[in-house]
Amino acid sequence: MPSEPRLSPPTTDASNTPGQRPERIDSRTLLRDGRELIIAHQGEEYRLRLTRQEKLILTK
């Protein structure tokens, strides 16, 4: 069974401190061997899809 990606715990403040770069996660880590995943955010579901042209689309 593949292991879950290790992500940083959520923060209460969405802004980064000045000069700090946002965390970077490779899309292959999120999608694993699939082409689609569901992201749960504040009680809503969002769908992240990888298209045939290898582009990412995020929809609600």
Side-chain angles (χ1 to χ4, degrees), residues 10-56:
T11 61
T12 55
D13 182 7
S15 65
N16 292 321
T17 56
Q20 181 184 11
R21 297 178 67 187
E23 182 176 357
R24 181 181 175 130
I25 300 173
D26 192 287
S27 62
R28 292 172 292 190
T29 301
L30 292 173
L31 294 168
R32 298 189 205 155
D33 294 327
R35 298 191 67 83
E36 186 172 298
L37 68 89
I38 304 294
I39 300 171
H41 177 68
Q42 296 183 348
E44 300 285 339
E45 287 189 350
Y46 295 82
R47 188 174 306 267
L48 182 65
R49 294 183 292 135
L50 182 62
T51 69
R52 286 184 219 136
Q53 292 81 31
E54 300 298 314
K55 297 189 184 228
L56 292 174

